Amino acid sequence: MKQFREAVEARDEQAMRALLADDVVFTSPVAFKPYPGKAITSAILRGVLRVFEDFRYIREINDAGGHDSALVFEAVVGGKKITGCDFIHVNDDGKIDDLMVMVRPLSGAQAVAAAMGAQFDQIAAEAAAESEGVSQ
């Protein structure tokens, strides 16, 4: 999805959040249980911006119908070079309702798990604050 790619490459947190559906589901490359909701997904994406170094997309694959995209990326996390893919589905309103990330190799996935794990208290606090702000 071109708009998401541009927002991530620009490190534009507001633009990334604006592309998410309220009912988006984020599936992590290192956590078993998916994370439902815009607040937690946008907080996770901000965490990713903090821990992924030298991030760049290297390929974009889109379906003819415009609902599914795969964005292949490279980055460095904890000194490990990783290759990954953001699998994106957009709803009929053009908002991302499913975002699944996969990474390789295993040592890179372990580095992602450690780096994001260290961020998770902050991610959870940001998501809670965003949820409270939205519900008021």
Side-chain angles (χ1 to χ4, degrees), residues 49-99:
L49 291 178
R50 292 189 293 266
V51 301
F52 280 40
E53 301 171 15
D54 301 325
F55 183 93
R56 66 190 172 287
Y57 285 114
I58 58 172
R59 183 177 307 145
E60 182 173 344
I61 304 163
N62 298 293
D63 76 331
H67 285 278
D68 292 289
S69 301
L71 300 174
V72 181
F73 64 83
E74 293 179 340
V76 176
V77 178
K80 301 282 184 183
K81 183 177 178 185
I82 64 168
T83 302
C85 190
D86 293 337
F87 294 97
I88 299 169
H89 181 269
V90 297
N91 61 23
D92 290 337
D93 295 327
K95 299 287 186 175
I96 298 170
D97 62 3
D98 188 50
L99 174 57

Side-chain angles (χ1 to χ4, degrees), residues 18-45:
L19 292 168
L20 301 175
D22 290 338
D23 63 347
V24 64
V25 175
F26 177 82
T27 305
S28 165
V30 296
F32 177 74
K33 187 176 121 184
Y35 297 95
K38 188 173 190 171
I40 189 68
T41 300
S42 61
I44 289 169
L45 292 173

